[in-house]
């Protein structure tokens, strides 16, 4: 059976995604920024409440994936927090100034994860030489690569995803993600040859407050949450 991973950034969405049929959760904060590291408290409660494996995003800030030595130390501490919380895995990704995956630094993060599973995220889609970097990611010990095939969406990147799947040859799992929905998931899986897929199924609900305020650029009266219908539609197609 094809596995379905759903990315979330709050506990409400954890319950929704599980009930709708998620096989695994990618736990983040700030999905509006592409997903950042969740708080230690969110990791702990997710571990307590989840009935499926939970992988924590380890990304200390928004922006590029070229991290300083201090940010590397921060990511190692956040990985330790994920281990302490009892999660099943972490999601990491990093590049150097040339847009290449730095093998030694990636191995540091994988070693910090210890027995936890490690997914390499869509930083691969900004790689200047993804073919060579796939080998570095595999050699470092990552079990899975999340990718849109270096395109804005997995559907647009199908040619590259198919090439990635062929190169991986079962040494690590390819997980297409970005823009996955009930209208395109079967095509993405069939044409890429992948056996798992990643989606957000993002929706929103209104605030329970009678009156809202704006504390930044976002609309604070609009709460971003997982849309159960979007997840369930894909789950039905996958079986």
């Amino acid at each position: 059976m094809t596995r379905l991973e759903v990315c979330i950034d709050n506990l409400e969405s954890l319950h929704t995604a599980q009930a709708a049929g998620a096989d695994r959760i990618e736990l983040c904060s700030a999905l509006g920024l592409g997903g950042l590291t969740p708080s230690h408290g969110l990791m702990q409660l997710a571990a307590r409440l989840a009935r499926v494996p939970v992988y924590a995003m380890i990304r200390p800030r928004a922006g590029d994936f070229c991290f300083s030595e201090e940010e590397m130390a921060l990511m190692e501490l956040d990985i330790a927090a994920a281990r302490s919380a009892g999660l099943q895995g972490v999601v990491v990704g990093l590049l150097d100034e040339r847009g290449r995956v730095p093998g030694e630094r990636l191995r540091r993060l994988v070693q910090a994860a210890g027995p936890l599973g490690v997914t390499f995220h869509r930083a691969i889609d900004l790689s200047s030489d993804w073919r060579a970097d796939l080998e570095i990611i595999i050699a470092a010990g990552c079990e899975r690569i999340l990718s849109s095939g270096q395109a804005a969406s997995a559907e647009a990147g199908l040619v590259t995803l198919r090439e990635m799947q062929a190169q991986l040859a079962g040494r690590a799992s390819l997980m297409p993600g970005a823009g996955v929905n009930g209208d395109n998931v079967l095509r993405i899986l069939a044409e890429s040859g992948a056996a798992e897929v990643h989606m957000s199924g993002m929706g929103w609900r209104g605030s329970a407050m009678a009156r809202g305020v704006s504390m930044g650029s976002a609309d604070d009266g609009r709460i971003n949450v997982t849309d159960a219908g979007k997840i369930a539609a894909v789950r039905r197609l996958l079986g």
Side-chain angles (χ1 to χ4, degrees), residues 156-190:
L158 277 171
V159 172
T160 299
L161 286 171
R162 188 161 53 245
E163 293 174 357
M164 287 180 171
Q165 175 75 344
Q167 182 174 327
L168 289 173
R171 295 175 295 163
S173 175
L174 177 67
M175 182 168 60
V180 174
N181 57 55
D183 294 329
N184 61 24
V185 64
L186 293 182
R187 180 187 175 213
I188 289 169
L189 289 167

Side-chain angles (χ1 to χ4, degrees), residues 38-105:
S39 71
H40 195 184
L42 182 53
M43 292 186 199
Q44 290 176 313
L45 267 180
R48 188 181 310 166
L49 297 169
R51 304 187 305 272
V52 298
V54 177
Y55 280 49
M57 170 63 74
I58 306 298
R59 185 182 175 207
R61 57 162 172 78
D64 66 23
F65 303 108
C66 187
F67 298 115
S68 68
E69 186 58 34
E70 286 185 340
E71 288 169 328
M72 283 291 297
L74 178 56
M75 288 191 286
E76 288 172 319
L77 289 171
D78 286 335
I79 290 171
R83 290 181 59 181
S84 174
L87 300 186
Q88 287 69 47
V90 294
V91 182
V92 304
L94 62 167
L95 297 167
D96 63 20
E97 294 83 353
R98 300 173 300 132
R100 294 294 311 280
V101 175
E104 183 177 347
R105 285 187 154 200

Side-chain angles (χ1 to χ4, degrees), residues 27-45:
L27 186 68
C28 305
S29 68
L31 278 178
L33 298 176
L36 302 178
T37 305
S39 71
H40 195 184
L42 182 53
M43 292 186 199
Q44 290 176 313
L45 267 180

